[in-house]
Amino acid sequence: MTAPRAVASEEMVEVVIEEIGARGDGIARHEGTPVFVAFTVPGDRVRARLGEAREQGRAAELLGVLEPGPGRRPPACPHFGTCGGCALQHVNDDTYRAWKRELIVTALPRRGLGAPSSDQLLCGGPGTRRRASLKGRGVEDRAALGFYERASRRVVDVARCPLLVPGLEALIAPLRGLLHELLGAGETAEIEIAMAANGADVIVRSEGALTLARRTRLAGFAHARDLARLSWQTKRDPVPEPVAERRAPEIDLAGVPALLPPGAFLQPSGEGQAHLIDLVSAACGESARIADLFAGCGTFALPLSRTARVHAVEGDAAMASAMRTAAARARPGLRLGVEVRDLERRPLAAAELRAYDAVIFDPPRPGAKRQAAEIAKSPVPLVVAVSCNPATFARDARVLCDGGYRIERVTPLDQFLWSPHVELVAVFRRPGD
């Protein structure tokens, strides 16, 4: 971790960190008030500068660790502490895993539900992230490319990122050179990178027009780096425009190849994706009729439709089309129906859900409040929830349990190493089923 920045000396305190909070900051108490200190672990005695009010306490800036706690370790990345991409590289494995699991275990009691039967955390390692969003800025004689500094819009220029799969990490330096040619001083861009099974998929998002010169330079870069696809997008463009598609990016979904539209959602790691498919498939068991809601490109729908009849519902037309294409190409054929539908505005009603033995729902971070309410009114015997937000999951779980379901098991999964984010798969059943 880089050395803490020099700051003014007023309102400095010495405190002992008691726990790690939901955002990944250490929490201490000063005169009875919670103090939130980033980059600390339980047992650390630290010197910190009190800052602005936060929640029911005060934020504080770490000035130095006077005595380290037992859960501390050296970070894996030289940019840690400045780069805002990671929050918890300084925490050892045992402390980190226990904390992440606790994020899920404690979320349900806050909604008045009992602590669930919870499996051990499934945790990926460094070098497994296959997608990232990099921030770029042109400066006088070069371009900076990396991630925002914590609580700032300043771009931290990174030389490497131990989270990324090697093929993506190797693209950082060449992409920085590309931005130097594309951006003037002060101009910004965001580069979304993803590693498909057959090569890297890159989207450059910028306010600049896609001129002929830029198009030519981008196509040459895609060829030189053997990218699967390179696209350009401005705020005015509803979808990215492929500039060079040398081959359509594909992912493998438990033996079913699926195409990725530009900008489509992709699970952060291949290992995590495989865990999710295994967990959901095992939960569905021998269910013959399955509804897969918020289905994406078919992470669950495609493999499950080899043995069950699956109705996949997805609001994004491009991702729904990718599912249809994958199903049509599969041999032997898949029993998959695909519907384009905005489930936030028009959830599947309880009467529609009566046709299914099992329902899977995997919503974005805000959760699926309206859809959960319809499921709760339905007679579906089995519900499998996949979530990347314990708080909204707990809210939706409360709705399901109020409707008569019980939580059978929760499995936590960490695809966002060294961050405060955690995923889960939860199984709900109606008593007697």
Side-chain angles (χ1 to χ4, degrees):
M1 186 173 72
T2 58
R5 292 173 297 171
V7 294
S9 61
E10 69 267 21
E11 296 188 282
M12 290 195 299
V13 296
E14 289 188 12
V15 292
V16 176
I17 305 300
E18 299 173 8
E19 59 182 325
I20 301 176
R23 298 189 195 178
D25 295 342
I27 302 177
R29 300 290 187 279
H30 175 65
E31 297 180 349
T33 299
V35 176
F36 301 91
V37 190
F39 313 126
T40 59
V41 302
D44 278 351
R45 186 168 66 87
V46 304
R47 188 161 54 96
R49 174 178 176 261
L50 295 179
E52 62 186 16
R54 173 176 153 187
E55 299 170 7
Q56 303 302 313
R58 299 277 297 275
E61 184 169 9
L62 177 65
L63 302 178
V65 177
L66 305 176
E67 293 180 15
R72 178 173 287 278
R73 72 168 178 194
C77 178
H79 303 293
F80 181 69
T82 303
C83 173
C86 292
L88 293 143
Q89 285 190 20
H90 62 294
V91 182
N92 70 21
D93 288 344
D94 289 345
T95 303
Y96 174 81
R97 292 185 180 212
W99 171 73
K100 279 235 163 165
R101 184 174 178 273
E102 195 69 10
L103 289 176
I104 292 170
V105 171
T106 59
L108 290 169
R110 293 192 185 104
R111 287 283 177 173
L113 298 170
S117 175
S118 176
D119 294 324
Q120 292 301 309
L121 177 76
L122 298 174
C123 189
T128 60
R129 279 291 297 270
R130 60 178 180 177
R131 65 173 171 87
S133 181
L134 303 172
K135 315 300 180 184
R137 179 179 294 275
V139 292
E140 292 299 330
D141 57 348
R142 60 184 179 86
L145 181 65
F147 301 94
Y148 285 141
E149 185 177 344
R150 177 184 170 89
S152 167
R153 303 292 284 183
R154 188 181 77 85
V155 176
V156 178
D157 200 24
V158 302
R160 55 183 295 267
C161 176
L163 288 174
L164 298 179
V165 296
L168 292 185
E169 188 179 43
L171 277 176
I172 293 176
L175 285 169
R176 181 181 292 108
L178 175 66
L179 285 187
H180 177 49
E181 298 181 32
L182 297 178
L183 300 180
E187 291 184 324
T188 61
E190 180 179 287
I191 298 186
E192 184 177 308
I193 52 177
M195 184 58 71
N198 56 347
D201 187 17
V202 177
I203 301 173
V204 181
R205 294 190 170 95
S206 173
E207 285 307 293
L210 183 55
T211 62
L212 177 60
R214 279 177 168 166
R215 189 182 293 272
T216 301
R217 180 65 188 96
L218 290 166
F221 182 87
H223 177 77
R225 295 293 161 183
D226 193 27
L227 303 183
R229 179 173 60 204
L230 194 157
S231 306
W232 182 274
Q233 186 177 23
T234 71
K235 287 183 179 179
R236 297 177 296 278
D237 302 324
V239 295
E241 177 186 345
V243 175
E245 183 167 294
R246 306 178 67 247
R247 49 194 176 273
E250 289 188 353
I251 56 171
D252 180 88
L253 299 175
V256 181
L259 299 176
L260 279 177
F265 174 77
L266 178 67
Q267 291 292 340
S269 73
E271 180 184 13
Q273 174 186 279
H275 281 314
L276 288 173
I277 293 172
D278 288 347
L279 290 166
V280 171
S281 298
C284 288
E286 298 181 0
S287 300
R289 301 164 302 166
I290 301 171
D292 183 11
L293 312 182
F294 307 94
C297 288
T299 301
F300 308 121
L302 288 169
L304 285 171
S305 61
R306 289 181 297 196
T307 57
R309 189 171 299 280
V310 179
H311 182 64
V313 185
E314 169 54 44
D316 185 284
M319 289 196 282
S321 178
M323 270 191 287
R324 292 193 187 99
T325 300
R329 294 169 58 193
R331 296 291 183 272
L334 303 179
R335 294 182 292 169
L336 177 66
V338 179
E339 178 183 358
V340 179
R341 182 164 171 172
D342 184 347
L343 293 170
E344 295 295 330
R345 303 174 114 186
R346 194 163 63 93
L348 259 68
E352 297 174 274
L353 294 168
R354 297 179 69 90
Y356 304 105
D357 305 315
V359 170
I360 304 161
F361 71 104
D362 181 11
R365 288 189 62 79
K369 186 177 182 179
R370 295 185 66 189
Q371 186 61 74
E374 293 299 324
I375 296 172
K377 293 185 289 187
S378 80
V380 177
L382 171 68
V383 177
V384 184
V386 182
S387 174
C388 60
N389 186 335
T392 56
F393 161 73
R395 180 202 65 202
D396 295 343
R398 174 79 264 179
V399 172
L400 292 177
C401 291
D402 287 346
Y405 287 94
R406 59 177 175 79
I407 304 175
E408 186 174 89
R409 179 162 293 278
V410 175
T411 301
L413 174 68
D414 186 15
Q415 293 197 82
F416 300 94
L417 186 65
W418 300 324
S419 84
H421 302 302
V422 65
E423 291 184 87
L424 63 92
V425 177
V427 180
F428 296 80
R429 293 188 191 275
R430 288 201 174 278
D433 292 316

